[in-house]
Amino acid sequence: MNDTPSDTTPNTPSEMTPDPAATSGPTPAFILVRPQMGENIGGAARAMWNFGLDRMRVVAPRDGWPNENAVAMASGAGRLLDEAAHFDRVQDAIGDCDYVFATTARMRDITKPVMSPERAMEHARAIIAQGGKVGVMFGPERAGLENDDVIQANALISIPVNPEFPSLNLAQAVLLTAYEWQRQTTQVIPEVVMMANTDWAGLVEVQKLADHYEETLDTAGLFYPQDKAASMKAVLRNMWSRMPLTRADVQVFHGMIRQMKRWKERG
Amino acid sequence: MNDTPSDTTPNTPSEMTPDPAATSGPTPAFILVRPQMGENIGGAARAMWNFGLDRMRVVAPRDGWPNENAVAMASGAGRLLDEAAHFDRVQDAIGDCDYVFATTARMRDITKPVMSPERAMEHARAIIAQGGKVGVMFGPERAGLENDDVIQANALISIPVNPEFPSLNLAQAVLLTAYEWQRQTTQVIPEVVMMANTDWAGLVEVQKLADHYEETLDTAGLFYPQDKAASMKAVLRNMWSRMPLTRADVQVFHGMIRQMKRWKERG
C-alpha cells in the first residue's frame, strides 16, 4: 500500500499545541521486540514522533540493524532510528527501566495487571513524574510477544478493539499508545479551545442587535396581534442572548436587516 | 508499505470487552470526502471496524465506486465497503445528519468550534443518545477538506499531534477518531445536560434557512459588489451552520425575513 504520509488530518491549531515542557521532559521508551518488516519499524517511528515520543529501542530485528527499509519509511521521523538503541535480548533492553508494559495480542496463563492504553499511560506518567523510567514493549508482527518476554513486564496493555475484528498492525498499536501518552500532556480544556481566538460579542452589543431587530420588525408589523407582542419579543430576546455570537456575526446580522430596510425604502 | 494486518497487539481480554449493547447501537457515519487511493479507503474501513464502527459514506472518490483496491485492502472489513453509501456531493452525504464534524489539517479563517477527538466523540455520543445522527468528514489525502466542505460542518476536529511532525494519513486519522468513540463506551458521559430535551434543528432545516436568507438578501441587493458575493455568502452559510439552532429558532428566523419581505411587498 502506498502509505506515504498525507496531511489529511491534523495539524495543530496554536491553542492546542502541546505544552513544550510536557513533551520535552522524560518520556517512555518504546521497545520493538524482534520486529520483522523494516517498513513497520519505520511506521512505528513515524507514529511515535507524531505524538512527541522519540525514544525507540529495537531488540533483535529480523533483518539486522540499521535497516534501509525502516529508514525509507520513517522519512521525517528518521532521527528516531538513528538514535534508537539496539539490543540482542529483551532483558538488556529493559534493564534500566523501573516499570515495563507489554502490549499483548492474547490472554495468557500469566497473572499480570491488564490495563487499557489510557490507564497504562496514566500510570506511566505517574512513574515518570517521580523520576522513574518506563518502557513499553511491542511484539513482532505475526506472533506477538512470547511468554518469556511478557513475564518480564510489570503489566500488560490491551487495546479494547472490536472482538469481531481485533486486527491492528504494529504501527497502529504504537500510534494509539503514543496518542494516549500525548493526550494526557495536552490537557486541553475543550470549552476553552472553542473560545480561544474568538472575538465574542459583548452583552451590550447583543442587546443593541436585539433592539435593532425588534424595532425594525415592529415597524414591519411582525408583533401582531397586540396581546402576543410581548411574548414574541421575549422569545426573540432570549434567542439572541442564547446564540454564541461573535462581533463579526453581530455585524452580519445588522447588515442583513439594514439591507432589508433599504430594499423596502427603495420601494 | 506492506500494511498487512498483523496481530501484533490487541485482542480483547474478556474484562475489557466493549459492552455489546454500547457498540450495537447507533454510531456516527464516517464520511470520506473525495478520497484518492483505494488502499486508503480500505485502510479506513479496517480502522473503523477495529473499533466497532461500520457506517461509511464515500463522496466522489477519485477512482470511482466500487473500488477494487479498497476491497483488497479492507479484507475482514469488506462489509463496510459493500454497505457504504456513495454520494456525488458533500451536502447530500450529510443531509440526514443532525450534527457534522470536519476533521481538518490546518486552521482556517472560519469561526467554528474546534474540538479534540475526545471532546468531539463525547459530543457525538450525547447527540446520538438523544436520537440524533452524527457525521464525521475526512478530507482527501493530499489537500484535506475544502472550505466549502468545512463551512457545512458544525464543528472541527483537530488531533493534537506533535507540531514538529503533524503527519497522519487518512487511515490513522480515522483510527484515532474511531478509538475515541469506542473508548467512551465504558465511560460516563459528562455535562451533556444542556442538550437534554432540546429539539435541535437538523442539517437540512438549517440549510433551507440559509437558502431562504441567501435568496431573499440576494434579491434585496446585499451581495454587492459581485466579486465579493461568493465570500459574503460563505460567511453567512458558515454562521448559520455554527449556530446552535433549535427547530423553534429556525422558524423564528424564517418568520423574521418573511415579515420583512411582506413589508416590502406592501410598498
Side-chain angles (χ1 to χ4, degrees):
Chain A
M1 132 173 216
N2 179 340
D3 211 348
T4 309
S6 44
D7 296 329
T8 310
T9 301
N11 181 358
T12 306
S14 56
E15 62 270 39
M16 294 181 70
T17 302
D19 176 6
T23 52
S24 65
T27 53
F30 276 20
I31 303 157
L32 309 188
V33 178
R34 297 183 299 281
Q36 299 175 321
M37 306 278 296
E39 290 85 345
N40 293 339
I41 302 171
R46 297 182 56 83
M48 287 175 64
W49 189 225
N50 268 316
F51 292 107
L53 294 177
D54 59 0
R55 294 166 199 203
M56 178 184 274
R57 298 177 182 185
V58 184
V59 179
R62 185 190 65 188
D63 300 335
W65 196 255
N67 181 309
E68 278 181 23
N69 292 335
V71 172
M73 180 64 196
S75 56
R79 176 176 68 80
L80 275 69
L81 301 179
D82 298 340
E83 298 175 359
H86 174 232
F87 299 87
D88 292 327
R89 302 185 309 171
V90 166
Q91 63 201 86
D92 298 326
I94 64 176
D96 66 334
C97 294
D98 298 291
Y99 200 95
V100 174
F101 294 97
T103 56
T104 177
R106 54 186 191 282
M107 288 318 286
R108 314 179 183 239
D109 276 342
I110 296 175
T111 304
K112 291 273 189 209
V114 179
M115 300 186 192
S116 65
E118 178 182 15
R119 172 76 189 111
M121 291 301 99
E122 261 173 35
H123 199 63
R125 272 205 182 282
I127 294 163
I128 287 173
Q130 290 164 40
K133 286 193 179 181
V134 172
V136 183
M137 292 194 282
F138 296 84
E141 288 90 333
R142 301 251 159 237
L145 292 167
E146 291 178 5
N147 274 0
D148 282 350
D149 309 318
V150 171
I151 58 175
Q152 298 184 68
N154 299 92
L156 307 184
I157 297 179
S158 177
I159 300 176
V161 286
N162 180 358
E164 292 181 40
F165 190 63
S167 84
L168 289 183
N169 64 31
L170 177 58
Q172 287 175 318
V174 168
L175 184 78
L176 290 169
T177 310
Y179 167 78
E180 277 292 356
W181 169 264
Q182 179 55 68
R183 195 168 65 80
Q184 293 171 33
T185 47
T186 326
Q187 291 189 347
V188 189
I189 301 166
E191 306 309 337
V192 173
V193 171
M194 292 185 44
M195 302 284 294
N197 300 326
T198 301
D199 189 17
W200 297 106
L203 223 77
V204 171
E205 289 159 285
V206 176
Q207 276 173 1
K208 283 183 181 163
L209 178 66
D211 291 343
H212 187 185
Y213 268 69
E214 189 176 292
E215 287 160 19
T216 310
L217 290 162
D218 205 359
T219 309
L222 182 67
F223 303 118
Y224 182 86
Q226 194 83 41
D227 63 336
K228 295 211 175 144
S231 70
M232 290 166 79
K233 286 177 186 176
V235 165
L236 262 187
R237 293 258 161 201
N238 183 52
M239 189 181 72
W240 291 122
S241 66
R242 190 163 36 79
M243 294 292 150
L245 293 165
T246 64
R247 289 224 155 83
D249 294 336
V250 167
Q251 290 315 313
V252 168
F253 274 116
H254 277 299
M256 290 195 294
I257 196 90
R258 200 182 297 125
Q259 186 67 29
M260 293 302 288
K261 275 197 284 189
R262 282 201 202 105
W263 187 44
K264 156 78 176 174
E265 284 155 12
R266 280 204 309 267
Chain B
M1 135 174 215
N2 179 340
D3 212 349
T4 311
S6 45
D7 295 328
T8 309
T9 298
N11 180 359
T12 306
S14 57
E15 62 269 37
M16 296 182 69
T17 301
D19 174 9
T23 53
S24 66
T27 54
F30 276 21
I31 303 158
L32 308 188
V33 178
R34 297 183 299 281
Q36 300 175 320
M37 306 279 297
E39 290 85 345
N40 293 338
I41 302 171
R46 297 182 56 83
M48 287 175 65
W49 190 225
N50 269 315
F51 292 107
L53 294 176
D54 61 0
R55 294 166 200 202
M56 178 185 274
R57 298 176 182 185
V58 183
V59 179
R62 186 190 64 187
D63 301 334
W65 196 256
N67 180 310
E68 279 181 21
N69 291 334
V71 172
M73 179 66 196
S75 57
R79 177 177 68 80
L80 276 68
L81 301 179
D82 298 339
E83 298 175 0
H86 174 231
F87 299 88
D88 291 326
R89 301 185 311 169
V90 165
Q91 66 202 83
D92 299 325
I94 64 177
D96 66 332
C97 292
D98 297 291
Y99 201 93
V100 173
F101 294 98
T103 55
T104 178
R106 55 187 190 281
M107 289 317 286
R108 315 182 183 235
D109 276 341
I110 295 177
T111 304
K112 291 274 190 209
V114 179
M115 300 185 191
S116 64
E118 175 180 18
R119 171 74 185 117
M121 292 301 100
E122 259 175 34
H123 199 62
R125 276 209 177 275
I127 293 165
I128 287 172
Q130 289 167 38
K133 286 192 178 181
V134 172
V136 183
M137 294 194 280
F138 295 85
E141 288 90 333
R142 301 244 161 244
L145 292 168
E146 290 178 6
N147 274 0
D148 281 351
D149 308 319
V150 171
I151 60 177
Q152 297 183 67
N154 298 94
L156 308 183
I157 298 179
S158 178
I159 300 175
V161 284
N162 180 359
E164 294 180 40
F165 191 62
S167 83
L168 288 183
N169 65 31
L170 178 58
Q172 286 174 319
V174 167
L175 183 79
L176 290 170
T177 310
Y179 167 77
E180 276 291 356
W181 169 264
Q182 179 54 68
R183 197 169 63 80
Q184 291 172 37
T185 51
T186 52
Q187 285 187 345
V188 180
I189 300 168
E191 45 97 17
V192 176
V193 187
M194 66 155 285
M195 300 289 299
N197 301 323
T198 301
D199 189 18
W200 297 108
L203 226 76
V204 169
E205 289 160 283
V206 176
Q207 278 174 1
K208 282 183 182 163
L209 177 67
D211 290 344
H212 187 184
Y213 269 69
E214 188 176 293
E215 287 160 21
T216 309
L217 290 163
D218 205 0
T219 310
L222 182 68
F223 304 117
Y224 181 86
Q226 194 82 40
D227 62 339
K228 296 216 172 135
S231 70
M232 290 166 78
K233 287 177 185 176
V235 165
L236 264 187
R237 294 254 160 204
N238 183 52
M239 190 182 69
W240 291 122
S241 67
R242 188 163 37 78
M243 294 292 150
L245 294 165
T246 64
R247 290 225 154 82
D249 294 336
V250 167
Q251 290 316 311
V252 168
F253 274 116
H254 277 299
M256 291 195 292
I257 195 91
R258 202 182 297 125
Q259 186 65 30
M260 294 302 288
K261 275 198 282 191
R262 283 202 201 103
W263 186 44
K264 156 81 176 173
E265 283 155 13
R266 282 204 307 269

